[in-house]
Amino acid sequence: MNEQYLPSPDPLHRAISRFGNVTVLVVGDFILDRFVNGVIERISPEAPIPVLRGRGETSAMGGAGNVVSNIVSLGAAAIPVSVIGDDQAGDNLMRMLGESGVDTGGLTQDANRMTSSKSRFSALNQQVLRFDEEEIKPLDDAERATLIRHFRAALTQADIVILSDYGKGMLLDGVASELISICREVGKPVLVDPKGRDYACYAGATAITPNRKELGEAVGRAVFADDEIVAAARELIAAHGFDFVVATRSEKGMSVVSRDDARHITTQAREVFDVSGAGDTVIATFALALAAGADRIMAAAIANAAGGVVVGKRGTARLTVEELTGALFRSHGPVAHKDAILDATAAARLVAAWKDEGLSVGFTNGCFDILHAGHVGLLHAARSQCDRLVLGLNSDASVRRLKGPGRPVNDEHDRACVLAALASVDAVVVFEEDTPLALIEALTPDILVKGADYTIDQVVGADVVQKAGGRVVLVDLVAGKSTTGTIGKLRAGNTN
């Protein structure tokens, strides 16, 4: 199979909701990124070069450090393993990792190594110079033994492994191959962000994540079209035993290719400010999604959305769960049918994403046991008050407590499916409590809608919404329509 593919949004968000349970082991080249910003107003009298007058400097973790940074920013745990220099740049990396809450026990500082550092100088957001300080050399025997020891210890805690190869020496001379062999021995998946033209050193990895240019270099020819991407990826799979290849393709999105399947995931059109570190974000997000239970196509869709967010930022960027959720829902538009049935956590992220888009969010609730015209009228009126409507649905146990042992007639799954299929409903959340107060507090909707048979002081959650600056709307109901009345007619044998 070779086709364009866009997974439905709900499974994607269920995977994202499990990021907090994932631990990723990251091995590779840790780099310190410096960003010096300023203005150019004159040419130097000493030489025909511009003079940059500095207006500020920031630092960030680059290379494998940026992978770790993205993992932590997305709510997961990262275990870094590497060897860096016992120098100022190394100290800065250790400090930043510590401030991020990362355990740095797997990082060794060695006085015989130099921590790679990249300094980018920009004027009016345009990079004018990059200054690199680095020494490329493989690990010596003692450094290698220490790294392998730390790796084996950390692997017991990890769900998945990332090898982030920036070609600075950490994975040279068979280190990558040894780490991959260790992973395969214990059944842990290992993803590689590759470097160079020869991928034999990554043989046996679960997957590699080259960009289009790197993929072409690895097979010795330029690749552009879908079929060329697929052919190149399968050539590498056959040669090196990868399970699959994830090829990033800039504005064309991403391709996921295995021996017998190929999917091409389109990207959202957006303005690109800076591609620095985008590959780090992609592999970090892909690994998290895969470890959180998504299949490789869904994981690629999530990673594709993540890459689209960070290229719209300046510098070595990372993203948050909220930004990722918003990007996924922008790419899919309003959810529909069964994909609109969410748990409270996913719904809260969805509501936050909608609000970030400037959309107003409404909320209403009820048992909705046997759907009738009164229900439909209420939901239509509620949706007319907002851009998106979330419906809180009493669980079966909750309905029994409220309505008696003979209710509900339809179980919560069936009720949720019917409601989610309505055009007026954008999300359905089942709640177990007798009232939706906890759900309203979690979602903080802009508008709370109930039937006019209530007064505002009787509406559960009205004070929560009003204190947050929202409003309560009471809508007229269709006279003579109720589930209790419908059930009564059925029991009496009256279907008129």
Side-chain angles (χ1 to χ4, degrees), residues 26-33 60-72 78 80 82 84 93 96-97 100 102 107 164 166 280 284 316-318:
V26 181
V27 187
D29 302 295
F30 283 70
I31 300 169
L32 180 67
D33 283 340
M61 293 183 285
N66 191 36
V67 177
V68 169
S69 182
N70 274 276
I71 291 166
V72 173
S82 189
I84 59 176
L93 283 174
M96 283 186 253
L97 287 164
S100 298
V102 175
L107 289 176
S164 178
Y166 270 76
D280 302 326
T316 306
R318 62 182 186 175

Side-chain angles (χ1 to χ4, degrees), residues 437 440-441 448 456 459-470 472:
L437 180 59
I440 292 169
E441 290 173 335
L448 182 57
I456 289 181
V459 176
V460 172
D463 55 336
V464 174
V465 173
Q466 290 173 327
K467 285 179 182 178
V472 180

Side-chain angles (χ1 to χ4, degrees), residues 111-361:
N112 294 319
R113 295 194 75 85
M114 173 187 289
T115 304
S116 294
S117 176
K118 299 179 181 180
S119 300
R120 298 171 174 89
F121 298 85
S122 299
L124 298 177
N125 296 316
Q126 177 63 51
Q127 192 174 137
V128 296
L129 176 69
R130 196 179 92 178
F131 174 55
D132 292 0
E133 299 172 272
E134 62 187 17
E135 180 184 21
I136 299 174
K137 66 176 183 179
L139 299 174
D140 63 29
D141 291 344
E143 291 170 335
R144 182 167 179 160
T146 300
L147 182 136
I148 296 297
R149 184 176 71 254
H150 285 157
F151 181 81
R152 287 187 180 276
L155 191 57
T156 61
Q157 307 169 53
D159 300 296
I160 195 166
V161 175
I162 294 175
L163 302 186
S164 178
D165 194 350
Y166 270 76
K168 308 305 178 188
M170 206 54 43
L171 298 172
L172 292 176
D173 287 3
V175 172
S177 179
E178 185 171 358
L179 298 179
I180 291 167
S181 294
I182 294 171
C183 289
R184 293 187 74 89
E185 287 172 7
V186 297
K188 293 289 175 73
V190 53
L191 310 178
V192 181
D193 190 357
K195 191 73 172 179
R197 298 173 182 270
D198 185 4
Y199 289 0
C201 58
Y202 311 125
T206 305
I208 54 170
T209 63
N211 60 36
R212 182 194 58 77
K213 182 174 179 292
E214 291 168 336
L215 180 63
E217 291 173 346
V219 296
R221 62 182 182 275
V223 294
F224 294 96
D226 290 356
D227 57 347
E228 294 172 335
I229 295 286
V230 172
R234 286 179 175 159
E235 185 176 322
L236 294 176
I237 289 170
H240 307 303
F242 307 130
D243 291 353
F244 58 96
V245 171
V246 180
T248 56
R249 302 174 62 184
S250 301
E251 74 283 353
K252 290 189 178 294
M254 188 178 292
S255 297
V256 185
V257 183
S258 66
R259 290 176 178 83
D260 52 11
D261 184 67
R263 303 291 181 95
H264 306 289
I265 300 166
T266 57
T267 193
Q268 291 176 253
R270 63 173 61 241
E271 188 172 2
V272 176
F273 284 108
D274 196 340
V275 298
S276 302
D280 302 326
T281 301
V282 166
I283 195 169
T285 314
F286 184 86
L288 285 177
L290 205 63
D295 62 35
R296 59 179 177 254
I297 309 302
M298 291 181 183
I302 294 172
N304 188 51
V309 173
V310 298
V311 296
K313 298 184 177 186
R314 301 190 189 279
T316 306
R318 62 182 186 175
L319 81 161
T320 64
V321 166
E322 291 72 24
E323 289 173 320
L324 179 55
T325 302
L328 282 169
F329 271 90
R330 278 194 297 274
S331 65
H332 286 86
V335 288
H337 305 297
K338 64 181 179 59
D339 297 320
I341 304 170
L342 305 172
D343 59 26
T345 300
R349 291 197 175 110
L350 175 56
V351 168
W354 280 336
K355 289 183 176 182
D356 285 344
E357 289 294 298
L359 301 174
S360 61
V361 180

